[in-house]
Amino acid sequence: ILSGSRSSYIGALFCSASVSGMRLRVPLVTSGAWTEAFFIQFVRECAVHDLLFAFVFLVSSQMSIALIPLSLHAFLRSSKFLADVRVDFPPIQTFCESVVQRSGEVHRLAALIEALLMPTLIVVRAHLLLIFLYYRFLTFRYQSAENAPLRQA
């Protein structure tokens, strides 16, 4: 039986993993063949990185700091969506547009926290496989063409 904070932590990671899985559906449906080139392109998708991130922290010990990058990315995606939808309430529209304009700063903050999680995993003596998976997550994340702002952090 899970305590309240642990169940909330797992729920947040499951929500992130499910959203990442839904975002992965598009590349899977549009491509017909499982070739090596498709697999390489598939691994470069941001949704795969987010899925790997959620998996690493689902099976490791609870670290609340791991939820900050998830929250920042969710905040950016929802702000971009609201800015695109053109909400009729001007203060919300202005706020969302300013968040989208400053998205590079939010991405850099998330990247910094993601980078600082690596030594945290080592300090809390996480399993060696988790440390290796998180290292792969970081290399995939920073080699991604979609994440140019993250490489600067």
Side-chain angles (χ1 to χ4, degrees):
I1 296 183
L2 299 173
S3 69
S5 65
R6 179 71 180 165
S7 64
S8 298
Y9 177 79
I10 289 175
L13 289 172
F14 269 127
C15 286
S16 173
S18 64
V19 168
S20 299
M22 286 186 273
R23 288 176 45 221
L24 275 178
R25 183 177 181 275
V26 174
L28 286 175
V29 171
T30 57
S31 176
W34 284 83
T35 62
E36 183 180 351
F38 169 75
F39 184 72
I40 290 170
Q41 182 63 30
F42 182 72
V43 169
R44 290 183 181 162
E45 289 286 329
C46 285
V48 172
H49 308 157
D50 294 339
L51 203 57
L52 183 59
F53 183 88
F55 171 74
V56 166
F57 289 102
L58 270 171
V59 296
S60 71
S61 60
Q62 182 175 346
M63 293 193 308
S64 298
I65 193 172
L67 298 178
I68 296 173
L70 299 177
S71 301
L72 289 173
H73 290 300
F75 178 66
L76 280 174
R77 286 187 192 108
S78 61
S79 295
K80 182 169 177 10
F81 174 76
L82 287 174
D84 291 344
V85 170
R86 300 286 179 211
V87 178
D88 289 335
F89 193 60
I92 292 178
Q93 183 66 33
T94 306
F95 175 73
C96 290
E97 288 173 354
S98 68
V99 168
V100 170
Q101 288 174 353
R102 293 185 177 97
S103 65
E105 297 169 20
V106 179
H107 278 298
R108 280 191 287 279
L109 177 61
L112 176 66
I113 294 169
E114 288 172 352
L116 291 175
L117 280 170
M118 183 63 165
T120 306
L121 278 174
I122 294 169
V123 168
V124 298
R125 296 187 179 139
H127 194 275
L128 190 58
L129 179 62
L130 293 177
I131 294 171
F132 174 74
L133 284 174
Y134 192 72
Y135 174 75
R136 291 307 301 165
F137 158 77
L138 285 176
T139 57
F140 288 149
R141 174 75 90 191
Y142 294 109
Q143 290 174 350
S144 173
E146 298 174 21
N147 292 323
L150 297 178
R151 278 182 253 146
Q152 297 171 356

